[in-house]
Amino acid sequence: MTRPSITAVSFWAGALLPVVYLPLLVVGVESTGQFTLLVALLGLNVAALVLGHDYPESKRSRT
């Protein structure tokens, strides 16, 4: 994968990952496994946002 591809995938993953963990937050974290999953998803979301920060589409609205 090239650098622009990684940036694009990371940008969109960072934008869409909250859709995955939001239901977990709404229902509630009732076990250690669910808590571990939530922390892992949040960490993945942060990493995706950092890696996708330079995606050109994210800069259009900053004019």
Side-chain angles (χ1 to χ4, degrees):
M1 240 181 177
T2 64
R3 173 83 173 135
S5 298
I6 292 171
T7 303
V9 169
S10 297
F11 174 82
W12 287 109
L16 297 175
L17 267 171
V19 174
V20 176
Y21 63 76
L22 191 58
L24 185 59
L25 288 173
V26 170
V27 171
V29 178
E30 298 175 357
S31 70
T32 305
Q34 288 177 334
F35 179 73
T36 303
L37 176 63
L38 178 63
V39 170
L41 287 171
L42 288 170
L44 184 62
N45 196 191
V46 169
L49 289 171
V50 169
L51 289 172
H53 178 71
D54 290 332
Y55 185 59
E57 293 293 319
S58 67
K59 293 184 175 31
R60 275 192 191 170
S61 61
R62 295 184 194 172
T63 57

